[in-house]
Amino acid sequence: MGQEEPMKLRWDGGDNPAKLGIMVCGHGSRNRKAVAEFAQLTTGLAHLLPHHPLAYGYLEFAHPVIPASLDKLGSAGVEQVVAVPGMLFAAGHVKNDIPALLNRYSAATGLPIRYSRELGMDARMVRAAADRITAALPPEARGGQGDAAMGQDTRQDTLLVVVGRGSRDPDANGNVAKITRMLVEGLGLGWGETCYAGVTFPQVEDCLRRAVGLGYRRMVVFPYFLFSGVLVSRIHRAVDRVAADHPQLDIRKAAYLSDHPLVLDTFRARAQEALEGDNAMNCALCKYRTQVLGFESEHGAPQASHHHHHEGLGEPCTLCDEDCTGACEEDVKAKAHYHVHHH
């Protein structure tokens, strides 16, 4: 990333760039560690964009909610906002919930808001993921791709399992599979499998147990997630169960992305793209714009949010000291007044 002078973003071409604010929009979590990690990421982004007021907010399960943070930016003298979704791929939250909320706020207050695209498929994100995976390999397998065959045999003996969040949007799920392929080829690994922590298939434990039969002596499981939380806990518990049943295998857990410098740089780039008018999502396979096989009934569906009636609902989970143990999954499901995704 170098030591370049921090960039002053512009929108209206005026002389006061401080009138432009940055809003980072997250989903929210009842897990305290996940919320703290999101705040830490936004702090890192603020260092990259020191000339602009920056705030963050959530759709649900945590405070501050997005409208409250937009109010805060307005109180700081911001006259225009770039909103960046703090999410990896474009599914329902990015395509519907966040923009619907922003449109309502802008219409009610008159505050101009430009919406950036998601982090998405980006070479920086692939390299950040590669760093996390490489750190999980044994020392002899961490040589760079250009180092003459250094660790190549060990890498060829390694199977990578990339775990995505899982969505009802096949385009978002397909992007996780594309990330897997780029990482396997880029790192020179022996094989790759893709699975998901929820909503779609294959689920983590089923995938891992099938992968054991492929005969690789080492398996690296990488959660393609920005933050901790109940889903990452679910992944780790599945890994532990499979590892206990197959003690002869070297099964390793790679760290999730968190605030890797290249992740922060991708966020910065998305804000810049929005100002330059280059913020369009890749909608070639969006189920709302194209009659995607198996999802024809959703073609042309109106943009609408299902979060407006419960923004900020929920209190921090008290079942864990900090990191998620998964104990809250059944607790949350048992409380009908909390919004949960029934899979």
Side-chain angles (χ1 to χ4, degrees), residues 168-170 287-288 290-299:
R168 291 186 177 85
D169 192 313
K287 64 180 181 178
Y288 301 117
T290 303
Q291 291 197 352
V292 174
L293 179 66
F295 295 83
E296 292 86 352
S297 63
E298 299 187 54
H299 177 238

Side-chain angles (χ1 to χ4, degrees), residues 30-38 227-229 256 322-324:
R30 296 178 71 225
N31 177 250
R32 287 173 289 182
K33 183 177 180 181
V35 173
E37 288 174 342
F38 192 91
F227 311 110
S228 181
Y256 45 88
E322 185 179 89
D323 205 0
C324 184

Side-chain angles (χ1 to χ4, degrees), residues 276-311:
E276 295 172 352
D278 187 25
N279 58 329
M281 299 176 189
N282 181 356
C283 296
L285 292 175
C286 175
K287 64 180 181 178
Y288 301 117
R289 296 195 178 193
T290 303
Q291 291 197 352
V292 174
L293 179 66
F295 295 83
E296 292 86 352
S297 63
E298 299 187 54
H299 177 238
Q303 185 183 72
S305 171
H306 67 282
H307 284 76
H308 64 277
H309 59 287
H310 51 247
E311 290 165 11

Side-chain angles (χ1 to χ4, degrees), residues 70-238:
L70 289 170
D71 289 343
K72 180 179 177 182
L73 287 175
S75 298
V78 164
E79 296 179 1
Q80 48 197 5
V81 170
V82 171
V84 183
M87 298 176 189
L88 291 165
F89 294 120
H93 295 316
V94 171
K95 294 177 180 178
N96 291 322
D97 300 320
I98 295 175
L101 188 157
L102 296 175
N103 287 339
R104 288 199 309 271
Y105 186 94
S106 184
T109 64
L111 180 68
I113 302 175
R114 285 194 182 182
Y115 187 47
S116 88
R117 63 189 179 99
E118 78 290 356
L119 295 171
M121 296 299 306
D122 190 290
R124 285 165 289 213
M125 298 298 295
V126 175
R127 289 189 177 277
D131 284 350
R132 299 300 192 221
I133 294 162
T134 301
L137 293 172
E140 64 271 18
R142 295 178 190 172
Q145 188 80 349
D147 299 343
M150 180 179 179
Q152 190 64 25
D153 290 342
T154 305
R155 287 194 180 194
Q156 284 294 314
D157 288 336
T158 300
L159 184 151
L160 173 66
V161 178
V162 177
V163 187
R165 184 187 187 280
S167 168
R168 291 186 177 85
D169 192 313
D171 192 25
N173 294 332
N175 279 331
V176 182
K178 186 172 182 179
I179 286 285
T180 302
R181 187 68 194 187
M182 295 183 75
L183 288 167
V184 169
E185 292 197 24
L187 291 171
L189 303 175
W191 193 257
E193 294 286 339
T194 306
C195 59
Y196 304 90
V199 184
T200 191
F201 65 92
Q203 296 283 290
V204 181
E205 188 164 345
D206 290 341
C207 176
L208 294 178
R209 294 193 182 280
R210 287 199 300 270
V212 166
L214 293 175
Y216 287 85
R217 68 182 185 185
R218 179 179 301 104
M219 188 186 305
V220 175
V221 182
F222 170 53
Y224 195 70
F225 282 67
L226 285 174
F227 311 110
S228 181
V230 66
L231 295 182
V232 172
S233 170
R234 184 185 300 172
I235 294 165
H236 288 170
R237 284 180 282 129

